[in-house]
Amino acid sequence: MPVLITQHHFNYAIAATLVFFMNLISSVVQTLFGVLSDQHPSAWILPVAVLIAAAGFCMLGSVSTYNLLIVGVLISGIGVAAYHPDAAKLVNGLADQTQGRNMSLFSFGGNVGFAIGPTVLTLLINQLGTKGINWLLLPACLSSAILVFTLPKIKHEIKIKSKTNLKTNSIQLKQTDDWKSFSLLSVILFGRSIIFYGLNTFLVLYWIHILNQSRTLGSLALSLLFIVESIGTLIGGALADKIGYAKLIRISFTLLPFALIAMILTKNIVLELILLLPVGLLIFMPYSSMVILGQQYLPNKMGLASGVTLGLAVSVGGIASPVLGNLADMTSLSVVMWTLTGISILPAVFAYLVHDIN
């Protein structure tokens, strides 16, 4: 974003629109890919999706007009959308009694990439200019090649597991889709996504303009939040297998508003950094559990469930970010933080309306 703003002389609103377009196309198309996955299983699309996502993103360093930048983010968003439904179904198929741990490892990979991506991109641009973005094709090609060689083995393992669990599978086939519970779960995911994106977007600005800290320290706070979120994914997966998915969701979202209130009220920088730990943990510990519950609520529409829980429900936060930005312009960043705290009450309430599938 800072590079595009400097290079093309965009204002914040125009630059933020690129993020909006990427999240909008990814959320809508990912749901469609989920439906397609249910009708025609297509694991072959995974290596292709990685390449499409990278190719579209690399356009950002090569094109010179705003319209072409939009085309680039749309292509990248389609690649991202195509990947998740089938990938999540494969993770589910490989799981046995440790679904939470397996899904948390899957989510952990995405969170680590989300955390180190900006740093890698900044280093490339500092050394090579915007053309350095094209180097991201290298890890994309490597990842795609790994998928090409490992997908046959993965599908073979899933086939073996299916044969050894015929009784379980026959029971699952008789299950009906619980759309009511899935809708309640989606509300929790929507609220969590707005909080997640809100903090990612405004935390650094909050540290600079409200806490009067340097940009470096603000970036450090955001990096700490990223790290804690990744760790929270792993912890949450292990806990969910022991205490249950719904119980972990309830505990996490019940405590989250109090953690956010404490973070806003304190003005001590050390304490502020410490309070980022529970905030990050509580946001991400229940994530894998919600993805798994979504798949369990819609056993006959698992691709759609994965598309919504990993795509639409996540992208809602990116779509809502401009609204929070306008609120910050009209009021203050403190009001935005209190708004996020108010929003956190919504998933806390709805968390008591979801249940595990026995």
Side-chain angles (χ1 to χ4, degrees):
M1 290 283 284
V3 172
L4 293 176
I5 289 171
T6 301
Q7 182 175 1
H8 298 280
H9 307 290
F10 293 152
N11 59 31
Y12 292 117
I14 291 177
T17 303
L18 292 173
V19 180
F20 171 82
F21 274 120
M22 176 175 275
N23 281 280
L24 181 63
I25 192 68
S26 181
S27 62
V28 174
V29 175
Q30 190 153 298
T31 304
L32 296 177
F33 272 112
V35 175
L36 182 63
S37 174
D38 289 325
Q39 297 175 350
H40 307 284
S42 49
W44 59 265
I45 204 172
L46 300 183
V48 178
V50 172
L51 293 177
I52 292 174
F57 191 79
C58 288
M59 283 182 62
L60 303 185
S62 305
V63 300
S64 57
T65 67
Y66 184 68
N67 288 338
L68 287 177
L69 287 173
I70 292 178
V71 172
V73 299
L74 290 179
I75 292 174
S76 187
I78 290 172
V80 172
Y83 179 82
H84 285 106
D86 277 288
K89 285 176 66 176
L90 290 179
V91 174
N92 183 281
L94 287 169
D96 37 40
Q97 301 301 316
T98 57
Q99 279 188 314
R101 182 179 65 85
N102 284 18
M103 190 60 72
S104 70
L105 287 172
F106 176 69
S107 302
F108 176 75
N111 293 333
V112 171
F114 193 91
I116 68 174
T119 302
V120 173
L121 188 60
T122 300
L123 291 174
L124 288 172
I125 292 175
N126 288 342
Q127 296 296 320
L128 304 171
T130 54
K131 299 294 184 182
I133 296 176
N134 293 329
W135 280 91
L136 291 180
L137 281 172
L138 186 61
C141 290
L142 178 61
S143 299
S144 184
I146 291 173
L147 285 168
V148 168
F149 285 106
T150 57
L151 275 176
K153 180 181 178 181
I154 291 174
K155 288 191 286 186
H156 179 67
E157 290 185 14
I158 291 176
K159 188 176 181 179
I160 293 175
K161 283 181 178 291
S162 298
K163 289 182 178 180
T164 56
N165 291 282
L166 287 176
K167 184 178 179 180
T168 301
N169 289 341
S170 64
I171 293 174
Q172 289 179 341
L173 288 174
K174 296 177 182 178
Q175 289 181 341
T176 57
D177 294 325
D178 187 351
W179 288 100
K180 179 181 178 181
S181 295
F182 186 78
S183 299
L184 296 172
L185 180 70
S186 296
V187 174
I188 301 173
L189 281 158
F190 292 158
R192 173 199 170 277
S193 178
I194 295 173
I195 298 166
F196 168 66
Y197 266 96
L199 287 175
N200 286 353
T201 304
F202 298 104
L203 185 65
V204 176
L205 296 173
Y206 179 80
W207 271 64
I208 295 172
H209 298 293
I210 302 300
L211 300 179
N212 299 316
Q213 301 301 309
S214 67
R215 182 178 300 177
T216 300
L217 197 55
S219 298
L220 175 64
L222 185 59
S223 296
L224 177 63
L225 184 64
F226 282 149
I227 294 170
V228 173
E229 287 171 347
S230 298
I231 296 173
T233 304
L234 294 177
I235 295 175
L239 277 176
D241 289 329
K242 294 181 179 179
I243 68 174
Y245 307 124
K247 186 174 182 179
L248 179 62
I249 292 171
R250 294 189 194 107
I251 293 173
S252 298
F253 287 111
T254 299
L255 296 176
L256 180 58
F258 297 101
L260 288 170
I261 290 172
M263 187 186 74
I264 296 172
L265 291 178
T266 185
K267 301 303 177 184
N268 181 283
I269 300 306
V270 175
L271 186 57
E272 189 85 18
L273 282 172
I274 293 174
L275 287 171
L276 284 176
L277 302 181
V279 169
L281 288 174
L282 292 172
I283 290 174
F284 265 82
M285 282 198 307
Y287 183 57
S288 298
S289 296
M290 290 187 289
V291 175
I292 294 170
L293 276 186
Q295 294 176 333
Q296 292 183 350
Y297 289 153
L298 301 183
N300 303 306
K301 299 284 189 299
M302 199 171 292
L304 173 62
S306 301
V308 172
T309 55
L310 290 168
L312 177 61
V314 175
S315 300
V316 163
I319 297 172
S321 291
V323 178
L324 293 174
N326 287 330
L327 179 62
D329 288 333
M330 291 186 296
T331 56
S332 69
L333 290 167
S334 293
V335 172
V336 170
M337 289 298 177
W338 281 112
T339 301
L340 293 176
T341 302
I343 292 172
S344 71
I345 297 175
L346 185 66
V349 172
F350 275 76
Y352 287 88
L353 302 178
V354 298
H355 58 88
D356 286 326
I357 299 293
N358 296 323

